Amino acid sequence: DAGVIQSPRHEVTEMGQEVTLRCKPISGHNSLFWYRQTMMRGLELLIYFNNNVPIDDSGMPEDRFSAKMPNASFSTLKIQPSEPRDSAVYFCASSLDYRTGLGYTFGSGTRLTVV
Amino acid sequence: DQQVKQNSPSLSVQEGRISILNCDYTNSMFDYFLWYKKYPAEGPTFLISISSIKDKNEDGRFTVFLNKSAKHLSLHIVPSQPGDSAVYFCAASAGTYKYIFGTGTRLKVLA
């Protein structure tokens, strides 16, 4: 298995532009998570999907952020309009069953820089 | 308010010695704890876990200790190797999908 695949690896964009981050979870995993990593706050959960349905989006910072999971093999995180404070590394992770205790499998992340 | 705290941003240890990484939490409902290791330009990878019904879990060179009364857990790496140099995150859950992560500790093992 190729693991969780995220694209792009790096994204530099200008303030006000739309940014779309993509994620392909591990086949068969029914839970998908988007996390954001910053120096000050560490890894923060943005949104959790289970069986393609958003279950918890309480971590999404504001209305500029939106996430979709149209099918079991693809998810997007969109920021529109982007702002410099959105600069961070965004991780997607998937899990077969969070209750197994093995945690999540993370992708390699997308480093977003908004200038 | 950070519910999971890793107060040491960095730690340097000589190869062969013990590395001790600490993590404190505030929520007494947390009952499952994980440690992740992260190399540069990669995602975090699962390292070891511990349930609140235990106070110790061991996996090779890695041992996690849990002190529930102090709301403290620690990761011991013995002996430390240069390949262990990475950022280590602890994470806690109250029995749900939602893991709260700390800010990480950067470990550097000196050869």
Side-chain angles (χ1 to χ4, degrees):
Chain A
D1 198 320
V4 176
I5 299 172
Q6 290 187 245
S7 64
R9 291 298 305 271
H10 302 274
E11 177 79 43
V12 181
T13 190
E14 290 186 347
M15 182 174 63
Q17 295 297 307
E18 176 181 298
V19 175
T20 299
L21 312 181
R22 296 172 176 79
C23 174
K24 179 177 171 22
I26 291 175
S27 176
H29 281 191
N30 61 359
S31 296
L32 184 137
F33 308 83
W34 282 99
Y35 273 84
R36 177 170 69 176
Q37 183 192 5
T38 60
M39 290 294 289
M40 292 300 295
R41 301 176 69 86
L43 282 159
E44 299 175 275
L45 177 64
L46 299 177
I47 188 167
Y48 160 55
F49 290 89
N50 185 259
N51 292 322
N52 313 336
V53 176
I55 303 298
D56 182 356
D57 65 356
S58 59
M60 296 286 263
E62 46 198 275
D63 292 345
R64 297 184 298 107
F65 285 69
S66 63
K68 294 182 180 179
M69 191 164 187
N71 56 62
S73 59
F74 185 64
S75 176
T76 59
L77 177 68
K78 185 179 291 186
I79 308 172
Q80 164 65 15
S82 57
E83 297 182 1
R85 60 191 167 123
D86 302 330
S87 297
V89 181
Y90 291 81
F91 289 101
C92 174
S94 71
S95 173
L96 178 59
D97 183 347
Y98 66 85
R99 291 166 294 185
T100 65
L102 296 181
Y104 317 143
T105 301
F106 282 84
S108 296
T110 295
R111 180 175 294 278
L112 173 65
T113 303
V114 183
V115 298
Chain B
D1 182 33
Q2 284 282 101
Q3 295 186 63
V4 178
K5 298 179 184 179
Q6 294 177 258
N7 292 317
S8 297
S10 63
L11 175 68
S12 290
V13 173
Q14 283 295 130
E15 181 179 6
R17 297 289 185 97
I18 183 171
S19 295
I20 300 176
L21 296 96
N22 295 305
C23 180
D24 297 295
Y25 61 95
T26 57
N27 188 342
S28 57
M29 298 300 291
F30 288 150
D31 61 359
Y32 211 91
F33 305 87
L34 307 175
W35 282 94
Y36 281 83
K37 179 167 71 173
K38 183 184 179 304
Y39 292 119
E42 294 183 12
T45 55
F46 170 76
L47 189 59
I48 193 168
S49 65
I50 189 165
S51 161
S52 60
I53 62 173
K54 293 186 172 183
D55 53 20
K56 177 183 173 181
N57 189 25
E58 201 169 348
D59 183 0
R61 296 185 297 113
F62 301 90
T63 302
V64 56
F65 295 91
L66 176 62
N67 183 334
K68 290 185 287 292
S69 60
K71 295 191 181 68
H72 176 83
L73 65 157
S74 60
L75 175 68
H76 292 211
I77 306 173
V78 185
S80 302
Q81 299 174 353
D84 297 329
S85 297
V87 177
Y88 290 79
F89 292 96
C90 65
S93 167
T96 74
Y97 59 86
K98 200 163 193 172
Y99 280 94
I100 307 298
F101 284 77
T103 52
T105 296
R106 183 178 302 277
L107 173 66
K108 188 170 185 179
V109 180
L110 306 169

